[in-house]
Amino acid sequence: MAVALRCFRHLPSLLCRSSFTMRWGLPQAPAACPALLLDGCRQSVHQMQLTRQLATKKAKGKGQSQARVNISAALVEDIINLEETNEDMQAVVEALKEDFSRNLSVRTSPGVLDHIIVVTKDGKFPLNQLGQISQKSPQLIIVNMTNFPESTAAATKAIRESGMNLNPEVDGTLIRVPIPKVTREHRESLAKLAKQSTNKSKEALRKVRSKSVNQVKKFKSKVSEDTIWLLEKQIQQMADSAAAEMDKLLAAKTKELLG
């Protein structure tokens, strides 16, 4: 009983220092504290951290900007890996950035055709794995299909349906790809494609968010409602941040395309 009372005397200091624990971890209790009592103290601190965060968010008046939720990943690692969630969302942003760079440019180079996917009877392959791509002039790209002549028709179809406003012409195993002049209509077409790509990326982003939120909800019966609410809020903030980054990419690309 005496040991328990000594441990309880340390509980106020543990709770008062909860802001410290958010950054540096839980303070150490006396070595004499029984393990069960120590665990109870730590759980109390953990719950207080989350409750104080929740109270801060809900205390904001209507119309006022709300502070960002920032839960320590270590506190919820048994529920969800927040770092992994953020990485998945950023991967969607990077994919959009790469798509803009490869496929939506008024500057034409052989590389713009490299990653067009060709559907053959043996599977799907990037065009540059089936044909040799070279630029004969600023207005003409040649795709030599000598190594895979049976895929010439499929490659021609893939180029035509790439959404890049290209009209390839077949000459034996050579595919001639005239490059359209950079007209205002062509620029506007590319800008529309950029918008479509952004919308598709945002849909992929929503899927990542939904998957993460569903993962959190699986623990409703094991953790407090406050914890669930805070996690969902932080996941949403991650998604909002990624979506905002996509909007900036789209605005920059549209400006580049339309001049």
Side-chain angles (χ1 to χ4, degrees):
M1 178 63 72
V3 172
L5 289 175
R6 284 199 300 273
C7 292
F8 274 118
R9 281 201 294 269
H10 290 276
L11 181 57
S13 63
L14 288 173
L15 297 178
C16 290
R17 295 162 63 186
S18 61
S19 60
F20 176 86
T21 66
M22 291 297 291
R23 184 174 181 181
W24 301 107
L26 290 169
Q28 295 297 315
C33 281
L36 289 177
L37 184 56
L38 178 55
D39 289 341
C41 292
R42 285 177 170 166
Q43 290 173 11
S44 296
V45 173
H46 180 186
Q47 185 60 41
M48 185 175 181
Q49 292 167 356
L50 295 172
T51 302
R52 288 182 63 185
Q53 287 178 319
L54 179 63
T56 300
K57 310 307 170 274
K58 290 185 175 179
K60 293 291 182 179
K62 187 176 182 180
Q64 295 179 346
S65 60
Q66 293 190 2
R68 291 182 62 84
V69 176
N70 187 20
I71 304 175
S72 170
L75 293 177
V76 294
E77 60 183 3
D78 292 335
I79 301 175
I80 188 171
N81 189 326
L82 290 174
E83 291 182 0
E84 187 176 294
T85 297
N86 190 53
E87 288 173 359
D88 290 344
M89 291 183 178
Q90 286 304 310
V92 177
V93 175
E94 290 301 316
L96 177 63
K97 190 183 298 184
E98 188 174 353
D99 180 49
F100 281 178
S101 176
R102 286 180 177 173
N103 303 323
L104 299 173
S105 176
V106 293
R107 300 181 183 87
T108 304
S109 66
V112 300
L113 303 184
D114 284 354
H115 300 279
I116 290 178
I117 300 300
V118 181
V119 181
T120 72
K121 63 180 182 179
D122 296 318
K124 299 180 180 180
F125 302 92
L127 181 60
N128 63 351
Q129 290 186 12
L130 300 175
Q132 297 176 340
I133 305 172
S134 60
Q135 187 160 2
K136 293 300 182 182
S137 72
Q139 284 75 44
L140 181 65
I141 293 178
I142 299 293
V143 182
N144 189 333
M145 299 294 295
T146 301
N147 293 334
F148 298 93
E150 69 280 4
S151 298
T152 302
T156 304
K157 180 181 178 182
I159 295 170
R160 184 175 291 113
E161 296 178 354
S162 65
M164 298 171 64
N165 194 33
L166 300 174
N167 188 26
E169 303 167 355
V170 179
D171 181 11
T173 57
L174 294 180
I175 303 175
R176 302 180 185 276
V177 187
I179 305 304
K181 293 182 179 180
V182 185
T183 62
R184 184 67 183 179
E185 290 182 353
H186 181 54
R187 289 176 179 272
E188 290 176 351
S189 176
L190 290 177
K192 289 180 181 179
L193 289 174
K195 177 65 174 178
Q196 292 173 7
S197 295
T198 302
N199 289 338
K200 289 180 181 179
S201 295
K202 285 186 175 181
E203 179 60 31
L205 180 64
R206 284 191 287 270
K207 288 181 180 179
V208 174
R209 180 190 61 78
S210 296
K211 179 181 177 182
S212 299
V213 169
N214 290 336
Q215 172 67 19
V216 169
K217 287 181 177 178
K218 291 179 181 179
F219 289 81
K220 273 189 172 181
S221 61
K222 299 180 180 179
V223 298
S224 69
E225 291 183 5
D226 289 357
T227 302
I228 298 296
W229 186 90
L230 285 167
L231 281 171
E232 290 180 354
K233 187 71 174 178
Q234 182 154 346
I235 292 169
Q236 184 62 53
Q237 285 175 174
M238 289 178 179
D240 290 344
S241 178
E245 192 172 349
M246 289 181 186
D247 288 336
K248 289 181 181 178
L249 289 173
L250 176 60
K253 176 56 67 172
T254 300
K255 183 178 180 180
E256 173 193 324
L257 294 172
L258 298 182

